């Protein structure tokens, strides 16, 4: 099928052709034949890189260019949202429609979005927008749900499930196009969404899956390839994979392993590089250090100059993007990543090696095999459409038995079924409160009506959820978040605010009770209060940390709002909360970034996500204190939020407001006697420029910023959506 035959406006065809898209991939053809351009709901399940995005784009173009309504594009990750946004914006500028990207701030209905025809966002942000009853929802005529298989995730799955249920309730005739990796029970999703299932296993580049054992790779097709044995299996497989301009992507189960493997491989990979490649890599590694400089990035830069990089969520967003860019340009030959990369942006390699297929699960305290779905997602990264005739995904076995096991459990296995995770009380509390507060559930009948719109209702007997719903409602009423009057539910003012703030009811209750209990607290007390809520991802204890944290607990115990539990089963968890609070406490006391990374075993990406979440919870605590009349907490919470935002002591808050100054330079200025904004406004540029790390152009800029009033007003708060959780496994 060729693009010019499609029933979309001519100008859209012309723009697509100008981008080299003339004929459709088989997967795309199947979706078109199933009626996606005529408004049919579709669940499209096909491998990575089989062209699902273009199906979404064609459907969006049909909607917006023919004036049918707003198209909503939902993705599970900010990075993916940004990627799709860029792709759509490019088309929009030639075709004259408007695309918006919205992620972050969960306490807003973003009325500005009304002027856009396409809105790209994350699942969590979409959920918060529908909770705020953003008025433009009534104009949404198309919802693209990317990576819909994530419905099966414990915490994040129900967010998406309930969002879709609410959307269907609000807009019965909305067209839904759900995109997914291969799943076993696509029929369940299709029947839930009243959609046609479209399944394809076509890939632009053939995928060979196999297992390495004792010098040979055994592929699913029966093909066996010999690998020269030089070092250990990982080294051998990597070097073999680099032959003929190959690139290798390795998945490791933990960050520490990712770094270790990268170190082990670097000298070997370096010896395969050409002279010009070595020179270019040295340049790139210098550029990396200009983006960010700290111990972790220095370690990375060092490896990078040898053609190898590690990649995990502990690295900051910009560093990760830079590494990805160098890999796409074929400068870096090998990336060793944690599995977060597999769910993220598109980054193919000819060979993908799964160095570990077991992972330690902290919650159950033992190693377990990763799900087939996750394996397939990683394996699916193999094969670069522009360069490779085929891609290879390889697991490593140490024994013949293991070879057999891996063939059976992964290579020849079918991914798991997607099962609704809605039937959990904590999940239902939040979802029910949101539904009641935003008018989706006025009485029991409405609640059941809404539940009938869920995947859960398609897969299970709807009555089986009733006892959990009842418990959840009881929690909400006993905690005064919801009231029941004459059979009707109504969210209380606090309940309404909790739903808008996008904190879980349990977090809100913990915060309110804590603030009521103590009339004032020190920073560590407040910080520990917020890190003890379920909305804060915890830093688990590393070996040897327990003793120090116990010592610390004795020292700060009197300052804590939440009393410690010395019950051995709970103490570990309590110490993890305390550790998380201590990272923030060190941060606001101006402990250097490197010291924090070293002391707590975290990276810049983790610190960033902790800061964002803490800011959000402190903002929520402030809002709840205001509503509850707990006025004595307001000023301390406000000041603490600002300190967390900037990472400074109280005395530095004024200078930290200057846009782009950063805490290190603010401290230098303060210590040199420039303590207030007016000191800077009055200062000679040459005097400011003489200070370390300032220089004349920055001195001029800072002075201008103060005079022009380019200051942080402390209004915006962004919560890192729960998508960016700290890896549980490091
Ligand atoms: P998926 O969403 O299934 O993972 P993508 O939509 O990202 O796959 O497509 C993978 C690559 O194939 C992209 O670089 C895209 O531009 C390209 N592509 C998709 N469809 C076509 C087509 N019909 N013709 C040429 N290139 C295409």
């Amino acid at each position: 099928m060729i693009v010019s035959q499609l029933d979309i406006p001519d100008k859209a065809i012309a723009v697509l052709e100008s981008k080299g898209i003339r004929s459709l991939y088989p997967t795309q053809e199947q979706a078109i034949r199933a009626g996606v351009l005529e408004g049919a709901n579709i669940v499209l399940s096909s491998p990575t890189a089989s062209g699902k995005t273009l199906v979404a784009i064609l459907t969006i173009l049909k909607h917006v260019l023919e004036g049918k309504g707003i198209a909503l594009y939902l993705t599970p990750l900010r990075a993916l949202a940004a990627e799709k946004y860029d792709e759509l914006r490019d088309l929009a500028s030639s075709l004259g429609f408007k695309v918006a990207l919205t992620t972050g701030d969960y306490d807003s209905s973003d009325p500005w979005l009304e002027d856009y025809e396409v809105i790209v966002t994350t699942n969590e942000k979409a959920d918060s927008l529908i909770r705020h009853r953003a008025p433009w929802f009534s104009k949404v005529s198309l919802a693209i749900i990317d990576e819909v298989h994530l419905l099966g995730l414990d915490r994040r799955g129900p967010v998406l499930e309930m969002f879709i249920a609410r959307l269907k309730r609000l807009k019965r005739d909305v067209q839904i196009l759900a995109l997914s990796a291969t799943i076993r029970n696509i029929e369940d999703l299709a029947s839930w969404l009243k959609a046609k299932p479209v399944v394809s296993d076509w890939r632009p580049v053939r995928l060979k899956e196999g297992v390495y054992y004792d010098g040979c790779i055994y592929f699913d097709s029966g093909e066996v390839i010999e690998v020269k044995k030089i070092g250990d299996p990982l080294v051998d497989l990597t070097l073999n994979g680099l032959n003929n301009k190959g690139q290798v992507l390795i998945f490791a189960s933990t960050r520490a392993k990712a770094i270790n493997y990268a170190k082990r491989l670097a000298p070997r990979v370096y010896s395969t590089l050409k002279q010009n490649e070595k020179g270019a890599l040295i340049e790139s590694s210098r550029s990396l250090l200009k983006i960010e400089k700290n111990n972790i990035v220095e370690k990375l830069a060092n490896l990078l100059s040898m053609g190898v990089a590690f990649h995990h969520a502990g690295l900051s967003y910009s560093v990760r993007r830079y590494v990805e860019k160098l890999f796409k340009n074929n400068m870096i030959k090998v990336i060793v990543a944690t599995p977060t990369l597999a769910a993220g942006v598109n980054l193919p390699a000819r060979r993908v090696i799964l160095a570990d297929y077991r992972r330690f699960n902290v919650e159950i305290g033992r190693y377990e095999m990763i799900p087939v779905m996750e394996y397939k997602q990683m394996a699916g990264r193999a094969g670069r459409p522009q360069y490779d005739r085929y891609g290879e995904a390889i697991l490593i076995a140490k024994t013949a038995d293991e070879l057999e096991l891996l063939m059976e459990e992964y290579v020849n296995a079918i991914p798991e079924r997607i099962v609704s995770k809605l039937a959990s009380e904590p999940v239902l509390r939040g979802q029910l409160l949101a539904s009641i507060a935003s008018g989706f559930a006025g009485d029991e009948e409405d609640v059941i009506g809404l539940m009938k719109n869920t995947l859960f209702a398609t897969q299970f007997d709807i009555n089986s959820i009733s006892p959990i719903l009842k418990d959840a409602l009881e929690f909400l009423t006993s905690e005064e978040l919801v009231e029941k009057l004459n059979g009707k539910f109504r969210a209380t003012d606090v309940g309404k605010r909790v739903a808008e703030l996008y904190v879980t009811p349990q977090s809100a209750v913990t915060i309110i009770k804590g603030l009521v209990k103590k009339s004032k607290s020190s920073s560590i007390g407040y910080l520990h209060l917020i890190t003890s809520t379920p909305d804060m991802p915890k830093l688990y204890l590393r070996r040897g940390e327990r003793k120090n944290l116990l010592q610390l607990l004795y020292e700060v115990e009197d300052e804590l709002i939440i009393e410690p539990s010395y019950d051995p089963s709970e103490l570990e968890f309590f110490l993890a909360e305390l550790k998380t609070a201590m990272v923030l406490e060190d941060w606001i006391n101006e402990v250097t970034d490197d010291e924090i990374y070293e002391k707590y075993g975290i990276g810049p990406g983790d610190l960033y996500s902790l800061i964002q979440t803490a800011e959000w919870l402190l903002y929520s605590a402030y809002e709840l204190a205001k509503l509850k009349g707990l006025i004595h907490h307001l000023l301390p919470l406000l000041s603490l939020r600002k300190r967390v935002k900037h990472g400074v002591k109280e005395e530095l808050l004024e200078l930290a407001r200057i846009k782009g100054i950063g805490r290190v330079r603010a401290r230098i200025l303060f210590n040199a006697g420039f303590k207030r904004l007016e000191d800077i406004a009055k200062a000679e540029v040459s005097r400011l420029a003489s200070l370390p790390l300032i220089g004349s152009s920055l001195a001029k800029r800072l002075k201008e910023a103060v005079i022009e009033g380019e200051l942080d007003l402390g209004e915006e708060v962004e919560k890192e959506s729960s998508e960016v959780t700290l890896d549980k496994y490091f």
Side-chain angles (χ1 to χ4, degrees):
M1 191 182 272
I2 54 174
V3 170
S4 58
Q5 290 174 320
L6 293 174
D7 179 22
I8 53 171
D10 288 346
K11 56 179 180 178
I13 292 177
V15 170
L16 290 170
E17 286 183 338
S18 73
K19 295 189 178 300
I21 299 183
R22 290 171 196 283
S23 58
L24 294 186
Y25 284 172
T27 314
Q28 295 158 350
E29 204 172 316
Q30 276 177 259
I32 301 290
R33 291 199 196 284
V36 74
L37 294 184
E38 282 98 55
N41 292 335
I42 302 278
V43 184
L44 176 56
S45 161
S46 68
T48 311
S50 58
K52 294 187 285 291
T53 311
L54 186 66
V55 177
I57 288 176
L58 293 172
T59 318
I60 290 172
L61 293 180
K62 176 89 183 166
H63 271 254
V64 299
L65 298 177
E66 294 185 358
K68 291 178 195 286
I70 294 180
L72 201 56
Y73 200 125
L74 261 60
T75 75
L77 292 171
R78 280 185 184 198
L80 280 179
E83 197 176 74
K84 303 300 173 195
Y85 170 70
D86 286 345
E87 219 167 311
L88 282 160
R89 196 176 43 172
D90 197 30
L91 289 168
S93 60
S94 349
L95 290 169
F97 64 90
K98 289 198 277 179
V99 187
L101 172 69
T102 179
T103 58
D105 186 359
Y106 288 165
D107 189 21
S108 165
S109 67
D110 288 4
W112 58 277
L113 290 172
E114 184 134 39
D115 296 334
Y116 290 80
E117 283 111 339
V118 184
I119 298 168
V120 188
T121 186
T122 58
N123 300 343
E124 279 72 18
K125 174 70 181 182
D127 184 36
S128 93
L129 286 166
I130 209 165
R131 286 176 181 211
H132 277 85
R133 281 276 186 162
W136 48 264
F137 261 106
S138 60
K139 293 193 201 152
V140 172
S141 65
L142 169 67
I144 312 283
I145 324 273
D146 208 353
E147 315 267 354
V148 72
H149 50 273
L150 297 184
L151 278 167
L153 293 186
D154 279 340
R155 237 168 0 98
R156 300 192 59 209
V159 172
L160 181 58
E161 186 174 343
M162 287 301 289
F163 169 78
I164 297 174
R166 285 193 201 108
L167 182 66
K168 288 207 306 178
R169 185 113 168 150
L170 203 61
K171 291 280 300 176
R172 251 171 230 293
D173 54 350
V174 67
Q175 184 187 359
I176 293 182
L177 169 57
L179 309 175
S180 161
T182 313
I183 45 174
R184 188 177 289 202
N185 56 332
I186 186 168
E187 293 73 21
D188 284 2
L189 297 196
S191 124
W192 171 42
L193 298 171
K194 300 196 174 46
K196 290 190 193 165
V198 176
V199 183
S200 159
D201 56 10
W202 180 87
R203 290 175 47 100
V205 185
R206 190 161 71 91
L207 176 63
K208 305 201 290 186
E209 292 175 65
V211 180
Y212 172 87
Y213 168 58
D214 195 24
C216 289
I217 309 171
Y218 299 86
F219 283 111
D220 47 351
S221 58
E223 183 189 3
V224 180
I225 290 186
E226 240 179 277
V227 174
K228 204 157 126 199
K229 281 192 182 178
I230 311 168
D232 60 76
L234 192 60
V235 168
D236 297 345
L237 274 177
T238 304
L239 295 182
N240 178 269
L242 292 179
N243 285 340
N244 302 323
K245 302 201 176 98
Q247 278 178 294
V248 179
L249 181 57
I250 299 168
F251 286 105
S253 58
T254 66
R255 296 175 182 188
K257 282 187 181 160
I259 298 174
N260 278 344
Y261 296 159
K263 275 192 197 155
R264 200 193 310 163
L265 291 165
R268 306 283 197 157
V269 173
Y270 186 70
S271 62
T272 69
L273 297 175
K274 297 194 195 73
Q275 210 50 43
N276 62 333
E277 291 179 318
K278 290 179 183 169
L281 282 168
I282 288 178
E283 277 308 304
S284 308
S285 105
R286 282 198 193 119
S287 306
L288 172 65
L289 289 169
K290 279 186 201 138
I291 299 177
E292 195 177 296
K293 205 167 177 220
N294 51 51
N295 292 346
I296 296 173
V297 176
E298 272 174 30
K299 211 185 278 179
L300 177 64
N302 186 22
L303 291 166
L304 202 151
S305 66
M306 295 192 259
V308 177
F310 57 86
H311 184 295
H312 58 60
L315 296 171
S316 66
Y317 183 81
S318 40
V319 168
R320 274 182 276 162
R321 291 295 92 87
Y322 186 69
V323 167
E324 287 159 15
K325 194 176 99 192
L326 292 181
F327 192 74
K328 279 187 183 154
N329 295 345
N330 206 354
M331 308 257 297
I332 295 181
K333 305 297 171 194
V334 179
I335 287 191
V336 195
T338 51
T340 41
L341 184 70
V345 294
N346 194 14
L347 196 72
R350 185 189 306 150
R351 179 171 288 185
V352 167
I353 304 174
L354 272 94
D356 319 300
Y357 63 91
R358 280 185 228 274
R359 190 168 46 200
F360 190 73
N361 182 338
V362 204
E363 263 134 50
I364 56 173
R366 61 181 155 82
Y367 283 90
E368 56 185 11
M369 287 174 77
I370 58 167
V372 180
M373 172 78 98
E374 209 175 309
Y375 157 77
K376 294 281 177 193
Q377 192 123 28
M378 294 191 248
R381 295 280 166 204
R384 300 163 300 177
Q386 308 90 318
Y387 308 109
D388 303 327
R389 278 187 302 112
Y390 57 85
E392 304 162 320
I394 305 167
L395 290 139
I396 300 176
K398 288 190 201 68
T399 63
D401 283 350
E402 200 178 12
L403 166 67
E404 208 172 303
L405 174 90
L406 295 178
M407 276 292 188
E408 201 172 307
E409 297 289 329
Y410 289 118
V411 175
N412 297 319
I414 313 170
E416 294 77 9
R417 283 164 47 86
I418 301 292
V419 179
S420 166
K421 293 288 159 43
L422 200 59
S424 120
E425 206 209 320
V427 164
L428 281 177
R429 285 176 191 165
Q431 290 300 341
L432 262 182
L433 177 62
S435 302
I436 294 170
S438 52
F440 283 97
D443 55 28
E444 256 152 48
E445 212 172 299
D446 282 349
V447 172
I448 296 296
L450 191 60
M451 288 298 147
K452 279 190 180 149
N453 272 350
T454 61
L455 173 63
F456 183 89
T458 310
Q459 295 186 314
F460 302 95
D461 174 5
I462 184 85
N463 295 322
S464 65
I465 209 168
S466 298
I468 314 176
L469 271 176
K470 199 165 149 261
D471 288 349
L473 268 170
E474 239 165 61
F475 174 87
L476 294 174
T477 38
S478 68
E479 297 297 346
E480 296 175 4
L481 299 173
V482 164
E483 339 175 279
K484 197 172 172 188
L485 289 172
N486 309 323
K488 296 269 175 213
F489 299 128
R490 208 186 65 93
T492 60
D493 288 346
V494 176
K496 234 182 251 154
R497 199 71 191 105
V498 171
E500 286 171 354
L501 288 165
Y502 212 69
V503 287
T504 57
Q506 183 57 58
S507 294
V509 168
T510 304
I511 289 173
I512 294 171
K513 285 188 175 156
L515 295 180
V516 167
K517 193 170 106 191
K518 280 214 172 180
S519 59
K520 67 179 197 275
S521 174
S522 60
S523 54
I524 186 69
Y526 286 123
L527 290 174
H528 177 258
L529 177 67
I530 60 160
T531 59
S532 70
T533 66
D535 279 325
M536 176 64 88
K538 314 285 178 279
L539 292 173
Y540 290 93
L541 305 197
R542 292 179 301 164
R543 227 170 282 140
E545 276 186 333
R546 201 184 142 85
K547 203 168 137 228
N548 287 348
L549 280 163
L550 268 177
Q551 176 61 32
L552 182 86
L553 176 57
Y554 295 129
E555 284 164 26
V556 299
E557 190 170 346
D558 291 344
E559 292 179 54
L560 299 183
I561 298 176
I562 305 277
E563 276 165 28
S565 158
Y566 287 99
D567 176 336
S569 64
E570 288 172 25
L571 183 62
E572 189 82 1
F573 203 67
F574 192 90
L575 292 177
E577 291 166 358
L578 185 65
K579 172 177 171 180
T580 315
M582 278 312 295
V583 174
L584 292 163
E585 176 80 2
D586 278 357
W587 165 248
I588 61 171
N589 283 320
E590 298 180 40
V591 175
T592 67
D593 297 18
D594 271 337
E595 272 178 78
I596 295 179
Y597 305 150
E598 191 63 30
K599 186 166 159 194
Y600 298 101
I602 60 171
D606 305 314
L607 183 59
Y608 175 79
S609 106
L610 264 183
I611 292 166
Q612 300 265 305
T613 310
E615 244 194 284
W616 183 258
L617 289 171
L618 288 167
Y619 168 75
S620 302
Y622 176 88
E623 291 291 306
L624 293 172
K626 202 161 68 180
L627 212 53
K628 283 284 197 185
L630 302 166
I631 46 173
H632 37 281
H633 286 299
L634 294 181
L635 279 180
L637 283 169
L638 187 64
S639 157
L640 186 58
R641 172 158 78 76
K642 289 183 185 164
R643 289 183 61 197
V644 167
K645 178 171 192 168
H646 299 294
V648 295
K649 294 184 183 160
E650 184 126 18
E651 63 190 21
L652 224 58
L653 275 179
E654 185 165 336
L655 290 191
R657 288 177 59 205
I658 307 173
K659 287 236 160 104
I661 186 171
R663 61 183 197 144
V664 177
R665 291 190 179 94
R667 172 55 63 196
I668 290 170
L669 286 163
F670 188 94
N671 290 352
F674 303 99
K675 299 192 173 175
R676 321 234 12 216
L677 293 175
E678 60 190 58
D679 301 334
I680 299 203
K682 280 191 265 166
E684 294 282 335
V685 170
S686 58
R687 170 75 185 100
L688 295 177
S690 68
L691 295 171
L693 294 183
I694 307 279
S696 60
S697 66
L698 184 65
K700 242 187 262 160
R701 218 162 33 79
L702 289 178
K703 205 174 146 149
E704 264 166 32
V706 173
I707 293 168
E708 311 269 319
E710 287 169 27
L711 302 174
D712 170 26
L713 302 175
E715 300 293 327
E716 344 63 84
V717 208
E718 287 238 336
K719 181 191 176 220
E720 187 73 11
S721 50
S722 44
E723 81 201 27
V724 192
T725 46
L726 295 162
D727 283 352
K728 275 184 264 164
Y729 313 98
F730 58 91

